[in-house]
Amino acid sequence: MPELPEVENFKNYIDETSLHQKIAAIQIAAPELLVNTTIDILRDTLKGNVFEDTFRHGKFLFIRLLKNGFLMLHFGMTGDLLYYTPDKKYPKVYVLLIQFENGRNLAFSDQRRLGKIGLVKNVESFIKDRGYGKDALKISLEEFIALFQKRRIAIKTALMNQKIVAGVGNEFSDEILFQSKVHPESKSNVLPIEKLKEIYQHMLAILQEAIEQNADRSKLEHYFFLDHRKEGLKCPECKGDTKLRTIGGRSSYFCPSCQKLYT
DNA sequence: GAAGTTGTTTATTA
DNA sequence: CTAATAAACAACTT
């Protein structure tokens, strides 16, 4: 599922393929993904326009346009990008297709259609108005500790809340807490400052390495819970059984003996 | 074929 | 007002 590292990877992909080319036409196959815009407005805005550069905040990707602000993309659970040269094998299934004047296409596919497509005039006010927290890679240790010390919810739920810190989802939250040896149901506000610091440091380290590996899960196999999401597996540390529990409405995997519960 | 899956939004309650 | 909680949505897998 696209979390922060995957979205960073999409950003790099667009930077490498789709910048500085005039858009000849677009196709919109899933109008229900549009937020605060319409098919006509999106088409009028993008046609003849140019992708200039990109900016990521949490799991949101913003593409700056030569004219008229930014194109906003959110990848939901199944969003994906493919830049390709149309031939007989295509078009593949897409929700949005960008056709460049050079003949290449950029397809945004989203099998389960939980993604979002929109136009944004000002990225900072978009983030502020919707209440999203600082990006997980940009938040300072002091800000992180202050925010998590005043939340009484489970630490896993807090980590996944985009309005506290933006970018961490279900799978990375499990891995961060396993590395930090903290039980996901621990109350955020009772964790010692030293533990919050560890969580912060592991969050940065894991996200950064995932980005360096282009979010390729096959290169992240040493992260146990990123790759082994099943109940009853042997914990690589203590050889005990891993557990599954629904926390914050999401399936959470953890090692009950290695990960200490703070209440 | 009913239940499980995740990121986000919305509704409800404290 | 803020914070916490639960449910809803999409569409595909088990």
Side-chain angles (χ1 to χ4, degrees):
Chain A
M1 311 302 140
E3 297 186 30
L4 186 152
E6 286 90 346
V7 179
E8 182 75 12
N9 200 41
F10 289 137
K11 168 182 157 59
N12 293 332
Y13 187 71
I14 288 181
D15 288 347
E16 289 162 12
T17 59
S18 302
L19 300 185
H20 315 305
Q21 308 168 33
K22 201 167 190 177
I23 297 166
I26 70 165
Q27 308 296 331
I28 301 159
E32 66 270 25
L33 269 61
L34 302 184
V35 291
N36 295 329
T37 190
T38 65
I39 293 177
D40 288 342
I41 294 173
L42 188 63
R43 180 176 288 112
D44 288 348
T45 304
L46 291 182
K47 192 171 178 182
N49 219 326
V50 178
F51 290 167
E52 285 294 304
D53 56 19
T54 55
F55 180 74
R56 183 192 56 72
H57 184 94
K59 303 172 193 172
F60 284 88
L61 183 59
F62 303 92
I63 305 172
R64 189 168 65 85
L65 305 169
L66 183 62
K67 296 170 290 190
N68 288 316
F70 298 78
L71 174 66
M72 176 275 284
L73 298 180
H74 191 286
F75 296 87
M77 281 180 66
T78 55
D80 199 7
L81 294 175
L82 182 66
Y83 182 79
Y84 65 97
T85 305
D87 60 28
K88 291 186 176 59
K89 286 183 295 185
Y90 294 98
K92 69 191 281 289
V93 178
Y94 57 81
V95 293
L96 173 66
L97 184 69
I98 310 285
Q99 300 168 297
F100 295 106
E101 277 193 351
N102 67 3
R104 305 282 184 111
N105 288 356
L106 179 68
F108 175 28
S109 64
D110 184 11
Q111 199 166 54
R112 288 165 76 165
R113 302 187 174 206
L114 281 170
K116 296 274 184 288
I117 300 168
L119 292 172
V120 172
K121 290 288 177 206
N122 182 301
V123 171
E124 284 71 32
S125 34
F126 175 87
I127 293 165
K128 185 162 175 275
D129 293 346
R130 299 180 62 142
Y132 298 126
K134 288 261 177 72
D135 184 83
L137 291 180
K138 294 184 184 133
I139 191 169
S140 72
L141 174 63
E142 292 72 24
E143 289 172 297
F144 183 91
I145 288 174
L147 286 168
F148 281 74
Q149 272 189 317
K150 69 179 188 187
R151 293 294 185 143
R152 289 166 296 180
I153 52 177
I155 180 66
K156 176 185 170 73
T157 310
L159 273 174
M160 289 193 301
N161 185 338
Q162 305 300 298
K163 298 189 175 185
I164 301 176
V165 57
V168 178
N170 194 25
E171 296 188 0
F172 277 84
S173 71
D174 280 354
E175 186 61 37
I176 291 164
L177 292 172
F178 177 63
Q179 299 279 321
S180 307
K181 302 191 190 303
V182 173
H183 192 294
E185 284 178 310
S186 297
K187 298 288 180 210
S188 180
N189 63 316
V190 306
L191 288 169
I193 288 181
E194 279 307 307
K195 265 299 169 193
L196 287 174
K197 185 176 176 183
E198 282 184 51
I199 293 169
Y200 172 83
Q201 289 168 337
H202 282 119
M203 174 179 79
L204 290 184
I206 294 168
L207 292 175
Q208 280 165 353
E209 182 175 0
I211 288 170
E212 283 168 20
Q213 302 297 346
N214 300 317
D216 181 345
R217 295 304 179 96
S218 70
K219 293 177 183 166
L220 298 169
E221 287 172 344
H222 55 293
Y223 286 123
F224 183 68
F225 277 121
L226 277 186
D227 206 53
H228 302 85
R229 300 182 67 73
K230 274 183 184 163
E231 192 173 22
L233 296 177
K234 299 299 174 204
C235 167
E237 294 289 325
C238 73
K239 314 304 176 193
D241 285 356
T242 60
K243 288 280 188 189
L244 164 63
R245 190 172 300 169
T246 299
I247 302 170
R250 293 294 170 263
S251 57
S252 179
Y253 295 89
F254 60 100
C255 172
S257 66
C258 289
Q259 294 177 247
K260 183 177 172 185
L261 179 62
Y262 297 79
T263 55

